[in-house]
Amino acid sequence: MQDNRQALGQYMTPDIVANLVARNIPSGVTQILDLAAGDCSLLRAAQKRRSDLELFGYEIDSDMHRRARQCLPSAKVSLVNGLTGRLHKDFDTQNQIAVVGNPPFTEMVPTDALRKILFKAFPGLTTKLGGRRSEVYFLARSLLIAKVSNGTVAILMPISFADGDIYSQYRSELMKNYAIRKVIEIPENAFIATEARTVLLIIDTSLNNTKQIDIGRFDVTTEKVSRIYKGQLHAGDRLDARYYDGRTKFDAHALQLKDVGVTVTRGVYSHKEAKTMALGAIHTSDLARARNGKMSLNQNNGMHHRDTDLLDNAMAYPGDILLPRTGSRVIWSPVIVSDGSAPITDHVFRIRVPSASLEAVKNAFMHPNFNAWLKCTSKGVCATVLTKRELLTMPLFS
Ligand SMILES: C[S@@+](CC[C@H](N)C(=O)[O-])C[C@H]1O[C@@H](n2cnc3c(N)ncnc32)[C@H](O)[C@@H]1O
């Protein structure tokens, strides 16, 4: 049972979240489908709100399928793979359809047929990233099924789908080929057994362009959603509430690092590789040695490396600002190199600033808003991560 739980992602949706999904099903819908039905939590919540709905479920696990039949006898639940199984014969595209889902968040090896589904749902996809995640295939099939009746998809996805760079192409394709109406961030305390942070996406498949997105946050205690942002976004932009929550505190018109000629690079070698090669590279943990935000490197290792251009990008010199890129226990304070030089690891960013802007950039890093900005911009489940693209959009706080 425990094996199935992990392998099949058997984490049922708690009632308060299932009710939230049900609340977001448009009133014209008459048929509802769940491709990974589990014990029918989502279908039960939908039926509680509207007893006239026709309900269809698909479940791969026979024990869970039995439970689904017991929990909701009125639903037509088939024991099949929700990604490939035939849809129930009573399912009729003349109806308005909503596909609901809290799919398994698991690794899989996709077949050619499944990859076809993925490219049909996301026609401009070129990345291989995310191509082994089952949730993206569930999302793809849900979109294709809903699209036949210009219906709706209401699906829970991991927070990384909303905030991660890996999924930016999927977000972009969603925004260009469908209308994302709402994104509701659901905090980790909503799911008891997994503590996963998730987002509920409400997607209207009747349109092939996203104009306005409503981004909100769900409060587990009050069961209410508070709006964090409403407006237009660029295709592929982040969709998590935490990001936009932080952004409202900063001046939207302030210059950003990218506007003042700042360049950001990172080291080439991991900490382990750099150690094996005896490069003496500066890692995130070394940045703690800084005093008053300054650090003397006093080394000149690694210059024997063949690929000097590559190495030069990964070297820190006086005046450079170093900042951790990722880590679980790192101190997120910028450090200015006072003298000497040394390579940096791939966990460290080197920020190089033209002299005319140096004071303004240094002041921005020392500004109290820097930490608030970092908090809403960095992301990650095990370790916190900041990307180069995001760092370049840091406002020059003053
Ligand atoms: C995260 S649970 C969600 C269940 C339910 N929809 C809910 O929201 O509570 C995912 C369910 O999908 C089932 N499942 C996993 N892979 C599947 C597949 N390929 N086809 C159909 N069901 C699948 C699991 O057995 C599990 O019951």
Side-chain angles (χ1 to χ4, degrees), residues 290-305:
R291 289 289 161 263
N292 297 323
K294 292 204 172 113
M295 189 170 177
S296 166
L297 300 181
N298 271 338
Q299 305 171 34
N300 202 2
N301 295 328
M303 295 308 280
H304 56 273
H305 195 278

Side-chain angles (χ1 to χ4, degrees), residues 68-327:
R69 305 272 297 246
Q70 281 162 4
C71 289
L72 191 59
S74 61
K76 292 166 184 141
V77 185
S78 312
L79 178 60
V80 290
N81 185 332
L83 291 174
T84 52
R86 253 180 193 224
L87 298 182
H88 202 277
K89 63 177 171 17
D90 295 348
F91 169 71
D92 179 356
T93 53
Q94 299 303 311
N95 286 280
Q96 230 211 84
I97 295 153
V99 184
V100 294
N102 173 15
F105 303 163
T106 51
E107 286 278 321
M108 63 179 274
V109 180
T111 58
D112 286 348
L114 280 179
R115 293 190 63 75
K116 261 195 191 151
I117 290 178
L118 192 70
F119 291 117
K120 197 165 171 202
F122 303 108
L125 202 69
T126 54
T127 181
K128 287 200 166 118
L129 295 171
R132 283 177 172 251
R133 297 298 308 173
S134 41
E135 60 268 30
V136 301
Y137 293 92
F138 277 96
L139 172 60
R141 190 169 196 210
S142 303
L143 290 166
L144 296 179
I145 293 171
K147 179 88 192 154
V148 177
S149 73
N150 286 332
T152 298
V153 174
I155 189 165
L156 289 156
M157 294 292 279
I159 189 72
S160 53
F161 189 85
D163 70 12
D165 271 14
I166 288 181
Y167 294 105
S168 65
Q169 257 201 30
Y170 293 85
R171 293 194 294 273
S172 170
E173 284 299 297
L174 262 186
M175 286 150 106
K176 288 197 262 186
N177 295 287
Y178 312 88
I180 305 180
R181 296 276 188 211
K182 280 190 204 172
V183 180
I184 302 170
E185 190 173 312
I186 298 172
E188 57 267 49
N189 58 349
F191 282 82
I192 295 127
T194 66
E195 291 181 13
R197 249 172 93 214
T198 51
V199 279
L200 171 62
L201 306 179
I202 307 297
I203 306 158
D204 178 350
T205 67
S206 70
L207 300 172
N208 52 8
N209 190 9
T210 299
K211 288 241 155 64
Q212 288 232 76
I213 303 190
D214 210 336
I215 295 181
R217 179 179 290 121
F218 181 62
D219 184 318
V220 172
T221 317
T222 62
E223 296 184 37
K224 292 209 164 90
V225 176
S226 46
R227 175 175 290 158
I228 305 294
Y229 176 86
K230 184 171 184 176
Q232 267 193 307
L233 293 176
H234 296 293
D237 275 356
R238 280 173 67 163
L239 296 171
D240 53 317
R242 185 161 77 176
Y243 185 67
Y244 294 96
D245 203 8
R247 234 117 276 257
T248 56
K249 298 185 186 104
F250 313 124
D251 175 4
H253 305 293
L255 287 176
Q256 301 177 341
L257 291 194
K258 67 174 164 46
D259 302 323
V260 295
V262 167
T263 59
V264 176
T265 61
R266 62 190 243 204
V268 177
Y269 300 112
S270 69
H271 191 205
K272 200 170 161 201
E273 287 165 341
K275 262 191 162 168
T276 310
M277 291 187 270
L279 282 184
I282 299 297
H283 190 54
T284 47
S285 46
D286 299 312
L287 298 178
R289 293 205 315 260
R291 289 289 161 263
N292 297 323
K294 292 204 172 113
M295 189 170 177
S296 166
L297 300 181
N298 271 338
Q299 305 171 34
N300 202 2
N301 295 328
M303 295 308 280
H304 56 273
H305 195 278
R306 275 184 286 132
D307 198 342
T308 48
D309 279 348
L310 187 72
L311 191 66
D312 197 50
N313 255 343
M315 288 288 292
Y317 295 101
D320 285 339
I321 300 173
L322 305 182
L323 185 74
R325 182 182 71 79
T326 180

Side-chain angles (χ1 to χ4, degrees), residues 55-69:
L55 308 168
F56 301 95
Y58 304 86
E59 172 56 56
I60 203 165
D61 179 48
S62 53
D63 287 343
M64 196 56 81
H65 176 247
R66 208 169 307 120
R67 243 169 88 184
R69 305 272 297 246

